[in-house]
Amino acid sequence: MALAADPIASLIDTAFIGRIGPVEIAAVGVSIAIFNQVSKVAIFPLVSITTSFVAEEETIERMNTEAIKVQNEEKETTKELTQDDVKLENLENGSTVKDEKKDSASDDSFKASPCKHTTAADINSNKSNLKPQKRNIPSASTALLFGAVLGILETLLLVLLAQPLLSLMGVKSGSPMLLPAHKYLTLRALGAPAVLLSLAMQGVFRGFKDTKTPLYATVAGDLTNIILDPILIFTCKLGVSGAAIAHVLSQYLISLILLVKLMQQVELLPPSVKALQFSRFLKNGFLLLFKVIAATICVTLAASLAARLGATPMAAFQICLQVWLTSSLLADGLAVAGQAIIASAFAEKNYEKATAAAARVLQMGFVMGMGLALLVGLGLQFGSGVFTKDINVKHIITIGVPFVAGTQPINSIAFVYDGINFGASDFAYSAYSMILVAIGSIGSLFVLYKSGGFVGIWVALSIFMGLRAIAGIWRMGTGTGPWYFLRK
């Protein structure tokens, strides 16, 4: 639900902007494609490895705490047994009378001064023990530092290079989409630090298996966005700029809520710079960076090709794409849950638990995909008027419905397998397999775009998701990499 909340807010954005006109919705579609491409390249690797690393560290810390507790209990047991042996020896030596006198004297002393053994230091010690101890998770501090730095860099990149990036996406200087697209992109870029920080913190909470906190924060921010949209777009007459400002404010609210909650649970200031896991993050982060570039470049290229078809096809493509991504992210929620559980299971070396978790999320993912296919197909076929009143745009949307709905089961399986591989820390395979999938998909995009236009683009996107699902099935199906134990 947390993963789907933001795309749902984007859908509502799309519905409000669609009331302005097809040119504006097409322009915003191009801008969102650019923003999402850069954001995913910057943050997706960080979020994915943060969830796995935090889950592993939290599990190891819990196991160490339990081991120390067992050791202390064993020491107490040994101490009690030793004391019993001493008492038995005293009894055998006939010293019970002396012990009784000592005990009697001790009891009289306690009665005379009942508070003698309860000092202020003992009371303060008990109070401190009752306070919940903050966790020491180095991965959390490292993730936040990377998120802040990457967010600032993304803002500078999008503000300074907005014009060339839009031109690269097919919005040339004479296009009517240029002005609204430029306004939306530069304003939306100001929220990049908040977006990256909030996603990094969500990765930390998911590693703790706490999915409620990110949900509450995201819903609070997105409700703010939905409330501000009509006020800024129509009442204040800011148009697409108002939509961008509403989105930026909502992202900063989400970040603030998550930061306050995280500071209550985790020591965010590490004891030293050495405690920060830069090398581990960079090594696995670069692997996933290649995966994300390969994955998102296919979707971004599809949006760019749709923009070249004109404002009307691009408007229809943007609506179909937002619905496609929103519904698919529900399956990604299962992937995140599976990732956290599987990462903990691998840290415990509990391979039976890892296998059971993987099997269950795959079953649930497939069932969810079938349900989404029916829901999205009917909803988009009969509810496209929610997003636009333009007859031509609605006609093109009906052409895309079979692809948007039909690929839902495939999308669900592909996303779930991503989570399974991340949970097993199989980042290298995820990266290299995605690069091969992207090469084939990009080739099919160009070929099918020239021959089929709008339909060709969606056929190529369907091929892209199908190849992603096959890559995931291959890894577990062959029992290779971290899943070698499945062959035994």
Side-chain angles (χ1 to χ4, degrees):
M1 289 174 68
L3 286 167
D6 190 58
I8 287 171
S10 294
L11 272 179
I12 295 170
D13 270 353
T14 304
F16 281 122
I17 296 165
R19 302 290 174 180
I20 305 173
V23 173
E24 283 77 9
I25 197 172
V28 169
V30 175
S31 298
I32 289 175
I34 294 171
F35 185 87
N36 287 345
Q37 168 73 15
V38 178
S39 295
K40 285 182 180 179
V41 167
I43 197 63
F44 184 81
L46 180 60
V47 174
S48 299
I49 58 179
T50 297
T51 299
S52 292
F53 290 173
V54 169
E56 290 171 8
E57 287 180 14
E58 194 264 345
T59 301
I60 292 168
E61 185 185 49
R62 174 171 48 81
M63 291 170 67
N64 290 339
T65 303
E66 289 173 356
I68 292 169
K69 185 179 178 182
V70 170
Q71 287 177 1
N72 290 337
E73 287 175 353
E74 288 176 352
K75 286 179 182 179
E76 287 294 327
T77 304
T78 305
K79 185 178 178 182
E80 288 174 3
L81 289 172
T82 304
Q83 289 174 348
D84 290 341
D85 290 340
V86 170
K87 286 179 180 179
L88 183 60
E89 186 178 348
N90 289 338
L91 284 169
E92 290 174 353
N93 292 334
S95 59
T96 54
V97 177
K98 291 180 180 179
D99 290 339
E100 287 173 0
K101 286 180 179 180
K102 287 179 180 178
D103 291 339
S104 177
S106 177
D107 289 341
D108 292 339
S109 174
F110 180 78
K111 288 174 183 177
S113 179
C115 296
K116 182 178 178 181
H117 300 289
T118 308
T119 63
D122 293 331
I123 294 170
N124 290 334
S125 176
N126 291 334
K127 284 183 178 179
S128 64
N129 289 333
L130 291 173
K131 286 183 180 180
Q133 296 294 318
K134 289 187 179 181
R135 303 175 190 179
N136 182 20
I137 308 292
S139 294
S141 304
T142 312
L144 262 64
L145 182 60
F146 272 112
V149 172
L150 290 171
I152 294 168
L153 291 175
E154 182 182 344
T155 297
L156 294 173
L157 175 72
L158 291 176
V159 170
L160 296 175
L161 300 178
Q163 189 92 13
L165 288 171
L166 288 168
S167 179
L168 188 65
M169 288 290 289
V171 182
K172 304 297 181 182
S173 57
S175 173
M177 292 187 286
L178 180 59
L179 183 59
H182 191 276
K183 282 182 181 178
Y184 188 89
L185 183 58
T186 50
L187 286 171
R188 184 80 179 265
L190 299 177
V195 172
L196 270 65
L197 270 174
S198 68
L199 289 174
M201 287 186 280
Q202 286 183 48
V204 174
F205 281 109
R206 290 169 194 161
F208 292 151
K209 302 183 190 68
D210 175 8
T211 52
K212 287 184 179 179
T213 302
L215 172 62
Y216 296 153
T218 305
V219 168
D222 288 341
L223 284 174
T224 303
N225 183 19
I226 293 167
I227 293 168
L228 289 176
D229 262 340
I231 296 171
L232 296 177
I233 294 172
F234 303 114
T235 306
C236 298
K237 298 181 180 180
L238 294 175
V240 295
S241 298
I245 293 168
H247 206 91
V248 168
L249 292 175
S250 71
Q251 290 300 323
Y252 276 102
L253 177 61
I254 293 170
S255 293
L256 182 61
I257 294 170
L258 290 174
L259 184 60
V260 170
K261 290 290 184 182
L262 192 60
M263 288 174 67
Q264 294 172 356
Q265 299 183 32
V266 179
E267 289 286 357
L268 294 181
L269 291 177
S272 65
V273 177
K274 292 180 180 179
L276 296 172
Q277 304 178 2
F278 288 122
S279 59
R280 192 182 183 204
F281 267 76
L282 290 172
K283 177 186 174 183
N284 293 289
F286 272 117
L287 285 171
L288 285 187
L289 178 63
F290 294 127
K291 173 187 170 66
V292 174
I293 291 173
T296 56
I297 201 169
C298 293
V299 177
T300 306
L301 177 61
S304 175
L305 294 174
R308 285 170 168 79
L309 295 173
T312 300
M314 179 58 202
F317 179 84
Q318 165 63 9
I319 293 167
C320 288
L321 185 66
Q322 284 297 324
V323 173
W324 194 58
L325 293 175
T326 301
S327 55
S328 299
L329 280 172
L330 290 171
D332 207 16
L334 280 177
V336 169
Q339 177 186 354
I341 295 168
I342 291 168
S344 296
F346 270 94
E348 297 169 351
K349 299 189 184 303
N350 188 344
Y351 299 128
E352 185 179 350
K353 179 181 176 182
T355 306
R360 184 49 52 97
V361 293
L362 282 168
Q363 292 166 3
M364 295 174 73
F366 180 74
V367 172
M368 179 180 283
M370 296 298 291
L372 285 172
L374 182 63
L375 182 65
V376 169
L378 293 174
L380 199 54
Q381 182 70 34
F382 299 106
S384 59
V386 174
F387 302 102
T388 180
K389 296 298 180 184
D390 191 288
I391 297 174
N392 295 322
V393 174
K394 288 199 285 187
H395 173 69
I396 298 174
I397 287 173
T398 58
I399 297 172
V401 168
F403 301 101
V404 177
T407 54
Q408 291 303 318
I410 300 170
N411 296 355
S412 296
I413 294 297
F415 279 121
V416 167
Y417 265 116
D418 278 347
I420 289 170
N421 288 328
F422 294 161
S425 294
D426 199 6
F427 300 118
Y429 176 79
S430 295
Y432 299 142
S433 61
M434 182 58 75
I435 291 170
L436 292 176
V437 167
I439 290 170
S441 301
I442 290 169
S444 67
L445 259 172
F446 281 113
V447 172
L448 292 169
Y449 162 71
K450 288 183 178 179
S451 60
F454 183 85
V455 173
I457 292 172
W458 276 106
V459 171
L461 286 176
S462 302
I463 292 171
F464 166 61
M465 293 307 300
L467 292 175
R468 282 184 67 174
I470 291 169
I473 293 168
W474 177 267
R475 190 59 156 176
M476 278 192 73
T478 56
T480 53
W483 301 99
Y484 67 91
F485 57 85
L486 293 176
R487 288 179 289 155
K488 296 182 180 180

